[in-house]
Amino acid sequence: MALLQIAEPNMSAAPHQHRLAVGIDLGTTNSLVATVKSGAASCLADENGEMTLPSVVRYVGNENKIVGKKALSEQKLDPQNTISSAKRLIGRKLPEIDTAHMPYRFGKSEQIIELQTKNGLKTPIDVSADILRELRERAEQSLGGELVGAVITVPAYFDDAQRQATKDAARLAGLNVLRLLNEPTAAAIAYGLDNAAEGTFVVYDLGGGTFDVSVLQLSKGLFEVKATGGNSALGGDDFDHRLFCHIVENNQLSLTDERDVQLLFGLVRHAKEELSRQPEAHIVAELSSGKQINTLITRAEFHALTQHLVAKTIEPVKQALKDAGVAKSDIKGVIMVGGATRMLHVQQAVGAFFGQTPLNNLNPDQVVALGAAMQANVLAGNKNDGEWLLLDVTPLSLGLETYGGLAEKIIPRNSTLPTARAQEFTTFKDGQTAMTIHVVQGERELVADCRSLAKFTLRGIPPMVAGAARIRVTFQVDADGLLSVSAREQTTGVQAQVEVKPSYGLDDETITQMLRDSMSNAKDDAAARARAEAKVEAEGLISAIQAALTLDGDLLSADELNQINGLIARLIASLSAHTAEQIRALVQELSHATDDFAARRMDRNIQRALGGMRVEDL
Ligand code: ADP
Ligand code: MG
């Protein structure tokens, strides 16, 4: 397998020519920018000394907008124009999103998500670009120059569409994307595992609204994502929510004023974060009604309230280990990522599950940005000795539709990226001059059960008999996980290709569901495949016989012709109703019934070739 060498020889810079490059963690809840200065990575703060930028943009009209903390604090007051969690929407289509609890006004297009704001229609790409622009400006101010580029992190499960959309956002923000980097890989780099460590590591990332777990294989500076999993609807916010409900119940509150809700949510989040540092926290507030709240919450109480949420993260961890084909005891280290892993019961639960203390000595909010910065530093050519080989995997198999509605897998799931594979196909019909390549993603046997990514047509195939043309189809997935497919007719060299930038994406749950479906339907799928194959065989035979009848039907008596036509009719009727075996039996029968006819045709063809001489005369 070809590995991608990231550090390019001609990119190394003289020591005094330090090129400014940054790593950006574009998070669902918070985003950060980091850089390497004098050999050490650190996050860059804004003018108030804040490093984390809440991933929230409020559009206030007249092209004006507010990004970050202030936008977050105003969100409850102006929910329709204040966009948060754009990462959940980026690269996806409206029908794929659960919009039930989103306060936004969505545009009409089903192809691309648009949000109606005071500044007009905004796509999730625009919103992400506004966040990235803020971070770029922060970095350029703090570093005193223009950036040569940025490494931007994405979840390991992001598909082509989501990755492409993230790149587009960066471009809109005026950033040169050195590469996209998977978040767990970035965390492993930050821990320096690229230098010393060998073995299998788990990255446990509990953020604001999402939980991601990845299994990483490291060997000699090679990173390989073996499996990913998680829960896209579980994060620190759920702990806030649980504590919020507790306070409301305890104080018998009925909150009618949005400002009170906003105030209380801020306070419970703060209390939750306090409890990671101290054994107790106070929630003190005066509501708009004048009601006073003064509740003491202990760490033990908080843990009891939220232990079930912690427990919910363990199931996806088990699944990821299973997918990667490793046991708990094979895990050499567990890296904690995401602000919510600061909570002690989270650390305890993870520690207890793996039977080892997780790695948590780096700041879990920053670790992804720091790793991205280190990677950016290498890519910008500031480090001569650093050569990382970064390997990721495809979350689902990629393949194409073959005759009969079957999905042929070209690149199997969990293949290491970058990767390229080619396979030869042929035409099915005599004289066929065009072939449609339908690119699909998924584990199921039938195209109808897979996800359609793209379709394109190869034209200009020279007319030949069925099965004679040789069409080589190549699938290539680059280091960023973007797929391109090309098809080339081997004798003439005619070729066609697509870059697959599907306009909608998949979330981890959909991927999990697709995998689950493929397992639970494996038996049905095998039967469906067998039937589809028998059908293809039957159709091929029928069309060959029909072509022969047109040319040489006069070689048959009326009875013989009737018999053959009768069998063809039975076979056609069986295609939609019968099992693979029944279809195959009829194919056999028809093929026997035409043996004689085939022999006579052969004789006639030989006669023709000999220009009228009889075989016996030779
Ligand atoms: P994301 O990757 O989703 O953008 P982060 O990694 O920044 O998110 O995590 C944000 C979450 O971490 C929030 O729910 C926040 O309250 C939580 N968090 C931050 N600091 C602490 C802390 N000290 N204790 C507990 N939770 C924390
Ligand atoms: Mg994160």
Side-chain angles (χ1 to χ4, degrees):
M1 158 135 341
L3 302 179
L4 179 78
Q5 188 165 333
I6 300 283
E8 292 182 19
N10 58 359
M11 282 180 77
S12 56
H16 58 281
Q17 293 180 300
H18 184 85
R19 299 165 186 233
L20 302 180
V22 295
I24 295 181
D25 172 5
L26 180 62
T28 312
T29 317
N30 296 309
S31 298
L32 292 106
V33 57
T35 195
V36 173
K37 278 186 271 190
S38 338
S42 61
C43 284
L44 302 173
D46 67 6
E47 64 272 14
N48 303 318
E50 302 267 5
M51 290 183 186
T52 45
L53 178 75
S55 307
V56 185
V57 184
R58 180 175 173 207
Y59 295 99
V60 289
N62 293 326
E63 297 300 301
N64 291 322
K65 61 188 168 254
I66 301 164
V67 181
K69 199 171 174 181
K70 188 156 185 286
L72 175 65
S73 70
E74 294 164 353
Q75 184 171 30
K76 286 259 167 12
L77 307 177
D78 186 16
Q80 295 188 329
N81 296 299
T82 310
I83 317 300
S84 61
S85 301
K87 193 173 177 177
R88 289 184 185 281
L89 307 177
I90 199 162
R92 310 191 59 194
K93 280 183 176 180
L94 199 51
E96 298 176 328
I97 306 284
D98 178 11
T99 54
H101 300 289
M102 295 188 183
Y104 313 130
R105 288 162 299 178
F106 286 95
K108 292 200 180 60
S109 167
E110 290 213 331
Q111 296 309 304
I112 179 162
I113 294 179
E114 288 173 327
L115 306 158
Q116 292 177 24
T117 73
K118 273 196 185 151
N119 292 21
L121 285 178
K122 295 285 171 188
T123 66
I125 295 178
D126 296 326
V127 179
S128 303
D130 287 334
I131 296 162
L132 290 169
R133 195 174 297 110
E134 184 83 12
L135 293 173
R136 176 175 67 84
E137 286 167 3
R138 179 196 291 187
E140 290 185 339
Q141 244 161 40
S142 136
L143 300 175
E146 219 171 277
L147 303 180
V148 301
V151 167
I152 298 177
T153 58
V154 290
Y157 61 79
F158 255 28
D159 71 2
D160 298 327
Q162 291 164 302
R163 285 167 197 264
Q164 190 61 50
T166 305
K167 272 192 168 175
D168 292 346
R171 238 170 265 140
L172 268 182
L175 283 167
N176 171 35
V177 182
L178 297 169
R179 74 163 287 178
L180 300 179
L181 182 61
N182 282 339
E183 289 164 11
T185 308
I189 291 175
Y191 270 98
L193 297 181
D194 50 298
N195 296 322
E198 300 256 312
T200 310
F201 290 78
V202 165
V203 180
Y204 178 105
D205 180 351
L206 191 61
T210 52
F211 170 58
D212 299 320
V213 55
S214 320
V215 181
L216 280 189
Q217 173 98 51
L218 306 190
S219 64
K220 300 194 193 71
L222 292 179
F223 289 70
E224 199 175 334
V225 180
K226 284 293 199 189
T228 66
N231 182 340
S232 57
L234 180 64
D237 297 348
D238 297 289
F239 293 73
D240 300 348
H241 194 256
R242 189 67 204 90
L243 191 51
F244 175 88
C245 293
H246 173 74
I247 300 293
V248 168
E249 282 159 27
N250 234 18
N251 292 278
Q252 296 177 341
L253 304 176
S254 63
L255 298 169
T256 45
D257 195 325
E258 259 317 323
R259 274 168 302 182
D260 287 342
V261 176
Q262 173 100 21
L263 173 75
L264 261 189
F265 255 111
L267 290 173
V268 297
R269 169 175 295 195
H270 187 72
K272 171 192 76 173
E273 296 179 1
E274 280 286 297
L275 289 170
S276 301
R277 295 181 282 265
Q278 294 161 14
E280 52 186 50
H282 286 275
I283 292 168
V284 182
E286 182 178 322
L287 300 183
S288 50
S289 62
K291 186 173 167 70
Q292 303 281 335
I293 294 176
N294 188 345
T295 307
L296 173 81
I297 179 110
T298 67
R299 190 183 275 160
E301 278 176 294
F302 174 64
H303 286 186
L305 281 172
T306 54
Q307 196 63 48
H308 65 289
L309 296 172
V310 179
K312 249 172 116 170
T313 63
I314 300 299
E315 216 35 60
V317 171
K318 288 184 187 158
Q319 185 61 44
L321 291 176
K322 203 167 153 199
D323 285 350
V326 294
K328 252 195 313 202
S329 52
D330 298 333
I331 302 303
K332 202 153 170 210
V334 184
I335 301 170
M336 298 299 260
V337 179
T341 60
R342 284 224 176 80
M343 291 184 284
L344 298 176
H345 55 335
V346 172
Q347 301 201 16
Q348 279 153 9
V350 174
F353 177 77
F354 284 100
Q356 60 178 298
T357 312
L359 293 165
N360 60 2
N361 50 312
L362 289 179
N363 184 328
D365 320 306
Q366 297 183 357
V367 48
V368 167
L370 296 176
M374 291 157 87
Q375 180 67 49
N377 192 47
V378 173
L379 292 177
N382 292 327
K383 203 170 170 227
N384 297 331
D385 57 332
E387 282 178 7
W388 278 308
L389 301 172
L390 298 178
L391 301 176
D392 302 330
V393 296
T394 51
L396 292 168
S397 301
L398 296 163
L400 48 74
E401 174 169 358
T402 59
Y403 199 79
L406 291 173
E408 178 78 20
K409 296 189 182 90
I410 309 286
I411 296 181
R413 148 183 153 72
N414 278 340
S415 292
T416 303
L417 304 189
T419 182
R421 281 190 204 187
Q423 202 157 310
E424 275 196 5
F425 293 88
T426 189
T427 45
F428 185 73
K429 291 217 165 81
D430 288 344
Q432 186 178 338
T433 57
M435 182 184 244
T436 296
I437 314 276
H438 182 195
V439 184
V440 298
Q441 182 174 42
E443 308 313 305
R444 302 284 298 273
E445 297 279 0
L446 299 184
V447 164
D449 297 320
C450 291
R451 173 172 179 251
S452 170
L453 290 182
K455 248 184 201 168
F456 68 103
T457 305
L458 174 67
R459 291 178 206 286
I461 302 171
M464 288 181 240
V465 292
R470 281 168 51 225
I471 292 140
R472 192 172 174 78
V473 178
T474 308
F475 274 56
Q476 195 165 348
V477 188
D478 72 11
D480 293 334
L482 296 177
L483 168 69
S484 56
V485 179
S486 63
R488 183 188 155 91
E489 201 287 309
Q490 297 293 77
T491 53
T492 56
V494 290
Q495 109 170 25
Q497 64 187 57
V498 278
E499 281 250 311
V500 183
K501 295 177 191 164
S503 51
Y504 57 96
L506 292 179
D507 60 23
D508 47 345
E509 275 176 18
T510 316
I511 292 177
T512 314
Q513 192 54 45
M514 286 171 86
L515 292 175
R516 213 173 273 147
D517 287 350
S518 77
M519 286 181 232
S520 58
N521 293 307
K523 225 168 139 190
D524 289 353
D525 276 11
R529 172 172 273 271
R531 265 200 60 210
E533 280 170 357
K535 226 172 128 175
V536 171
E537 198 185 323
E539 283 166 355
L541 180 65
I542 292 170
S543 92
I545 293 175
Q546 281 169 339
L549 289 175
T550 318
L551 289 173
D552 298 316
D554 59 303
L555 290 173
L556 294 169
S557 71
D559 273 355
E560 286 168 328
L561 191 60
N562 269 342
Q563 191 214 357
I564 290 173
N565 278 332
L567 277 171
I568 288 176
R570 268 175 65 201
L571 184 52
I572 289 173
S574 83
L575 291 183
S576 54
H578 292 131
T579 63
E581 291 86 75
Q582 290 166 318
I583 296 173
R584 286 238 157 80
L586 278 170
V587 165
Q588 283 283 329
E589 202 177 325
L590 177 60
S591 146
H592 277 315
T594 52
D595 277 352
D596 222 35
F597 176 46
R600 276 181 244 168
R601 289 191 70 214
M602 183 108 79
D603 278 352
R604 173 181 274 183
N605 284 337
I606 293 170
Q607 298 285 349
R608 280 189 186 132
L610 296 175
M613 282 191 284
R614 289 168 36 150
V615 186
E616 295 84 357
D617 297 341
L618 287 171

